[in-house]
């Protein structure tokens, strides 16, 4: 018996292992679907400083919570220490409105060396967007664009800090900025980041004999909302007289939001969730611009005036 043809050699075994690993790694990336996820950490305690008593509050970290086939989530958590220090987070994500909100606040006490941390490791959603291009000849490039903006602010004083990261991926387009105010820096950052994510479905001159579908994964989340306060840098007299507080705050309850999907003629789109951007408010026209009445409006107005004139003439 030729053993080389009856049993796989070492190279074959190695190839099988590579295939299994590739399937294991790539399958989650290729999976369609939608979900909402969140993870937060809220802690508040007091450390031993200059032999002062230790006061301990409560706190803890959640495990990542991924809500498959769920379109929205919201929550609020607060932890208090025993010396006036506390930390709180608020969060929400809603596929229907296309909005994600996050808020973190940490405040140290004014009596002992206390600490507080409020962190949202992630809050956001993912969905699969499906675009259908009708059959036909396309003279121009066919582009679709997803519009939105990220607005909010960070602030902190001495012995505190704040940080924001957000992550948006639409197909191969990725946004991942980082804003940080380091400890011992008094300051604030206002964030106003409009964005437009564009995908080209086909190039000019493309001829489609049948409709064609294009699927892109959309992931959006606040990846690291972090506010902390330590109270460790104030003079000792401040701790004894109760005159000092350190505060870190990250306020993005103005949201990360998607505002519109721009698609040209011949293109229709839908989401795997069936609700993405289904409840966005209408965009108001700019001030001073009045919509032009449609012909049917003029016909209706003319009919009303003619009827009124006929009625007055009949009464006379």
């Amino acid at each position: 018996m030729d053993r080389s043809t009856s049993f796989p050699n070492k190279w074959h075994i190695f190839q099988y292992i590579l295939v299994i690993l590739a399937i294991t790694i790539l399958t989650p990336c290729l999976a369609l679907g939608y979900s909402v996820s969140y993870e937060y950490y809220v802690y508040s305690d007091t450390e031993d400083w200059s032999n002062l008593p230790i006061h301990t509050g409560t706190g803890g970290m959640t495990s990542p919570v991924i809500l498959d086939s769920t379109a929205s989530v919201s929550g609020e958590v607060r932890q208090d220490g025993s010396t006036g220090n506390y930390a709180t987070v608020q969060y929400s994500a809603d596929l229907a409105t296309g909005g994600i909100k996050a808020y973190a606040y940490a405040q140290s006490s004014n009596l002992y060396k206390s600490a507080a941390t409020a962190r949202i490791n992630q809050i956001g959603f993912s969905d699969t967007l499906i675009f259908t291009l009708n059959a036909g000849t396309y003279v121009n490039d066919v582009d679709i664009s997803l519009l939105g903006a990220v607005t909010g602010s960070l602030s902190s004083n001495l012995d505190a800090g704040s940080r924001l990261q957000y992550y948006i991926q639409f197909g191969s387009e990725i946004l991942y900025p980082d804003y940080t105010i380091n400890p011992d820096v008094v300051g604030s950052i206002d964030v106003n980041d409009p964005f437009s994510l564009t995908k080209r479905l086909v190039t000019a001159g493309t001829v489609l004999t049948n409709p064609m579908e294009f699927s892109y994964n959309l992931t959006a989340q606040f990846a690291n909302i972090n506010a902390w306060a330590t109270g460790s840098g104030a003079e000792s007299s401040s701790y004894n007289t109760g005159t000092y507080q350190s505060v870190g705050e990250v306020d993005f309850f103005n949201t990360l939001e998607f505002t519109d999907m721009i698609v040209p003629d011949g293109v229709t789109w839908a989401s795997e969730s069936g609700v993405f951007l289904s409840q966005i408010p209408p965009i108001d026209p700019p001030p001073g611009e009045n919509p032009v009445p449609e012909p049917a409006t003029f016909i209706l107005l003319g009919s009303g005036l003619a009827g009124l004139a006929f009625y007055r003439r009949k009464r006379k």
Side-chain angles (χ1 to χ4, degrees):
M1 179 184 296
D2 186 357
R3 297 176 61 88
S4 64
T5 60
S6 301
F7 301 95
N9 57 32
K10 293 181 179 179
W11 171 242
H12 290 156
I13 294 175
F14 181 69
Q15 287 179 315
Y16 297 155
I17 293 174
L18 287 179
V19 171
I20 293 173
L21 287 175
I23 293 173
T24 303
I25 294 172
L26 293 178
T27 297
C29 301
L30 298 175
L32 300 180
Y34 63 97
S35 64
V36 177
S37 62
Y38 65 92
E39 179 184 11
Y40 62 82
Y41 173 84
V42 182
Y43 195 74
S44 181
D45 72 354
T46 303
E47 302 173 6
D48 186 3
W49 184 81
S50 299
N51 298 318
L52 292 174
I54 297 176
H55 294 264
T56 303
T58 56
M61 179 181 289
T62 67
S63 297
V65 179
I66 299 177
L67 306 173
D68 291 323
S69 301
T70 299
S72 65
V73 67
S74 63
E76 180 177 0
V77 180
R78 171 170 171 152
Q79 301 288 358
D80 291 273
S82 57
T83 63
N85 55 314
Y86 72 94
T88 183
V89 297
Q90 300 176 45
Y91 57 88
S92 71
D94 191 340
L95 276 166
T97 62
I100 304 170
K101 301 182 179 183
Y103 177 80
Y105 181 91
Q107 175 180 301
S108 71
S109 76
N110 53 17
L111 184 59
Y112 302 115
K113 179 185 175 183
S114 63
T117 298
R119 185 167 71 239
I120 302 174
N121 290 345
Q122 60 168 303
I123 172 65
F125 50 67
S126 65
D127 205 345
T128 301
L129 307 186
I130 304 165
F131 300 86
T132 302
L133 193 57
N134 295 334
T137 300
Y138 290 88
V139 178
N140 301 314
D141 297 334
V142 178
D143 296 338
I144 53 96
S145 297
L146 184 56
L147 309 182
V150 179
T151 55
S153 63
L154 301 80
S155 63
S156 64
N157 60 9
L158 291 177
D159 309 316
S162 56
R163 184 182 184 185
L164 160 78
Q165 290 177 302
Y166 64 83
Y167 177 85
I168 304 173
Q169 179 178 3
F170 181 42
S172 59
E173 298 287 323
I174 296 177
L175 302 177
Y176 193 29
D178 187 339
Y179 298 93
T180 303
I181 301 178
N182 293 315
D184 299 326
V185 174
V186 179
S188 63
I189 299 175
D190 292 324
V191 177
N192 183 10
D193 295 348
F195 59 82
S196 176
L197 304 174
T198 300
K199 302 299 296 182
R200 176 155 295 170
L201 302 185
V202 296
T203 57
T206 298
V207 178
L208 297 180
T209 56
N210 296 296
M212 180 175 290
E213 284 191 353
F214 302 82
S215 297
Y216 298 103
N217 180 257
L218 170 67
T219 299
Q221 60 179 253
F222 285 120
N224 190 353
I225 295 279
N226 197 352
W228 65 93
T230 63
S232 59
E235 297 179 358
S236 58
S237 60
S238 298
Y239 291 102
N240 296 325
T241 59
T243 59
Y244 182 82
Q245 287 184 333
S246 62
V247 172
E249 182 178 33
V250 184
D251 185 357
F252 278 78
F253 240 68
N254 286 334
T255 86
L256 182 164
E257 61 179 348
F258 296 93
T259 56
D260 201 5
M261 177 73 76
I262 306 299
V263 296
D265 293 337
V267 178
T268 58
W269 73 279
S271 63
E272 187 77 10
S273 66
V275 300
F276 180 63
L277 294 189
S278 62
Q279 296 181 15
I280 60 173
I283 300 176
D284 296 328
E289 291 190 10
N290 296 318
V292 178
E294 298 179 358
T297 305
F298 286 116
I299 294 173
L300 183 61
L301 179 59
S303 300
L305 293 175
L308 180 61
F310 177 77
Y311 174 75
R312 294 184 61 184
R313 184 176 181 181
K314 186 177 181 181
R315 290 191 62 184
K316 290 181 178 180

